[in-house]
Amino acid sequence: MKQKTLFIASAVVLLAAFVVGVWVYNIQQADRTAEVVKRNPQALTRLHSPTLGNADAKVHIVEFLDPACGTCAQFSPFVKDLMAANPGRIRLTVRYAPLHQGSEQVVKVLEAARKQGKFWQALEALFATQRQWVRNHVAHAQLAWNSLAGLGLDLDRVRADMNAPEVTRIVEQDIADTRTLNVTQTPEFFVNGRAMPSFGAEQLKDLVDEEIAKGYR
Amino acid sequence: MTEIRIDPPAHAAWTLVFASWLVAAVATLGALFFGEVMKVPTCSLCWYQRIFMFPLVFILPFGLFPFDAKVARAALPLAAVGWLIASWHVLLVAGVIPETATPCTQGVPCSETYIRWFGFVTIPLLAWLAFSFIIALLAAAHFKASKR
């Protein structure tokens, strides 16, 4: 009987230690991220990044995304809903974290589409058709062209622009910033410089609500 | 007290099997912590070691309630294969075996180390220690129980 008690008590202690460990680790990690953002504010926002929404909004969401990331595609409408629910109060900036193999090329396509004023349309179209051009977690830019048909883009110009040196510079800067800010998974959101305590749509909404309450009381 | 009297060798053997279960449970939760919480990428060799470590957490209790030292017959082969893979991995990280001779073809290279405590404690080394302890404890339990 005592052996059974010992066994069950051990199992409970181990599981409890694990849960406490997760909790402590997440808190430490959030503190560390806040510290890194504080020390490198320029790594969070660059003037070259695509931005949506009111420039004077008091809540600024910086989203690190990868066009080949499925969760980023799922979060895209959620972020738009958040912005629609708080008109004029949220500004969104997109940064690139091309973590998937081949994603860098697709990011360059997006930047080239941006030169024709079609960044957000192109991003939405790529998200909607991910299944066609992401195979086994590898992004294939050459399969993504179909997704862009119908947006009214001059695709020849996109092909030329995507290899422009300034596009390369933007992508390289964004990748360097993901390293500085330790962005290892996408999407990663920073709301007025604050990271989510743990990943999830609810956590993002809570963070946005807190910042809105602070900015617009 | 209505405690059932267990003869001392069996009792000692039970404790040894229980200790091996503790090691397996700590190793399993540790691996999950590294992978799921700290997001350390899991390379293919790590996955194979997990395959041989995780089941021990569920198999070993069958030998504890009621006590049956024969559980070592099921658990030792698993631990032994896991130990071999962990040994290979430790040598790989140490640079004794070149990376090209490994089954890692895509994704995370197995020779990459993300954690190095005190300058030498890596995750593969922890796995190797865990498998070593489990083998030693189970072998001792088997020996104690057969001496009865």
Side-chain angles (χ1 to χ4, degrees):
Chain A
M1 227 33 231
K2 257 162 81 186
Q3 292 177 332
K4 237 171 212 161
T5 316
L6 178 64
F7 177 79
I8 292 167
S10 310
V12 170
V13 167
L14 286 177
L15 282 174
F18 186 83
V19 172
V20 171
V22 171
W23 186 68
V24 169
Y25 183 83
N26 283 341
I27 288 176
Q28 281 181 349
Q29 213 48 28
D31 287 351
R32 215 168 295 160
T33 309
E35 192 53 42
V36 171
V37 171
K38 221 196 234 163
R39 267 190 283 121
N40 307 282
Q42 75 288 354
L44 194 59
T45 43
R46 299 278 175 191
L47 290 173
H48 66 230
S49 300
T51 294
L52 196 67
N54 179 6
D56 298 322
K58 289 184 178 151
V59 179
H60 186 192
I61 302 178
V62 177
E63 177 181 6
F64 280 86
L65 62 76
D66 178 344
C69 147
T71 312
C72 298
Q74 286 170 7
F75 264 78
S76 172
F78 181 74
V79 175
K80 287 203 176 125
D81 287 350
L82 275 179
M83 293 180 74
N86 301 281
R89 295 179 165 185
I90 300 177
R91 181 158 66 104
L92 171 69
T93 297
V94 165
R95 306 294 310 275
Y96 305 119
L99 298 175
H100 283 78
Q101 211 183 311
S103 261
E104 240 179 277
Q105 285 304 106
V106 182
V107 164
K108 287 179 177 174
V109 171
L110 275 173
E111 272 300 310
R114 189 172 158 213
K115 284 178 186 289
Q116 297 179 41
K118 303 267 187 198
F119 173 82
W120 300 100
Q121 294 91 320
L123 181 61
E124 201 169 316
L126 285 173
F127 275 157
T129 55
Q130 259 176 0
R131 274 159 188 255
Q132 292 164 26
W133 57 273
V134 183
R135 303 258 163 95
N136 288 323
H137 303 284
V138 176
H140 298 277
Q142 72 276 13
L143 297 176
W145 293 110
N146 274 341
S147 319
L148 300 176
L151 295 181
L153 281 166
D154 177 347
L155 290 180
D156 288 333
R157 245 180 72 203
V158 170
R159 274 194 187 85
D161 286 344
M162 63 184 281
N163 296 312
E166 70 267 22
V167 167
T168 308
R169 243 193 326 272
I170 289 174
V171 177
E172 279 173 359
Q173 182 64 63
D174 275 23
I175 292 173
D177 289 341
T178 60
R179 300 226 171 90
T180 308
L181 297 172
N182 201 19
V183 173
T184 53
Q185 41 182 348
T186 53
E188 180 78 273
F189 294 95
F190 293 90
V191 182
N192 289 352
R194 293 169 67 203
M196 294 184 285
S198 60
F199 186 80
E202 261 321 295
Q203 289 89 323
L204 177 63
K205 190 181 178 301
D206 290 347
L207 209 51
V208 168
D209 286 347
E210 278 176 40
E211 290 302 316
I212 283 180
K214 267 193 235 169
Y216 299 94
R217 48 172 125 226
Chain B
M1 289 296 274
T2 52
E3 180 126 354
I4 306 155
R5 286 202 6 250
I6 308 169
D7 44 337
H11 190 79
W14 187 92
T15 308
L16 289 166
V17 174
F18 175 68
S20 71
W21 174 80
L22 272 182
V23 174
V26 169
T28 296
L29 289 174
L32 290 174
F33 195 86
F34 284 134
E36 303 306 315
V37 184
M38 294 175 74
K39 308 284 181 196
V40 176
T42 311
C43 81
S44 61
L45 281 178
C46 307
W47 275 113
Y48 286 112
Q49 286 164 72
R50 285 172 167 210
I51 287 166
F52 291 96
M53 180 65 81
F54 291 6
L56 293 173
V57 180
F58 297 93
I59 292 171
L60 289 170
F62 282 100
L64 293 174
F65 307 106
F67 177 66
D68 182 0
K70 282 207 214 61
V71 75
R73 282 161 50 94
L76 270 175
L78 280 172
V81 177
W83 185 86
L84 284 174
I85 300 169
S87 306
W88 176 270
H89 201 173
V90 167
L91 292 175
L92 188 75
V93 169
V96 178
I97 298 169
E99 169 87 314
T100 46
T102 72
C104 323
T105 49
Q106 212 188 19
V108 198
C110 294
S111 56
E112 195 149 332
T113 49
Y114 291 87
I115 284 166
R116 207 176 267 276
W117 292 327
F118 318 114
F120 71 99
V121 181
T122 58
I123 299 176
L125 182 66
L126 291 173
W128 184 85
L129 285 172
F131 280 121
S132 301
F133 275 126
I134 290 168
I135 290 171
L137 289 164
L138 286 178
H142 180 76
F143 182 68
K144 272 257 167 30
S146 63
K147 235 175 45 176
R148 239 188 321 173

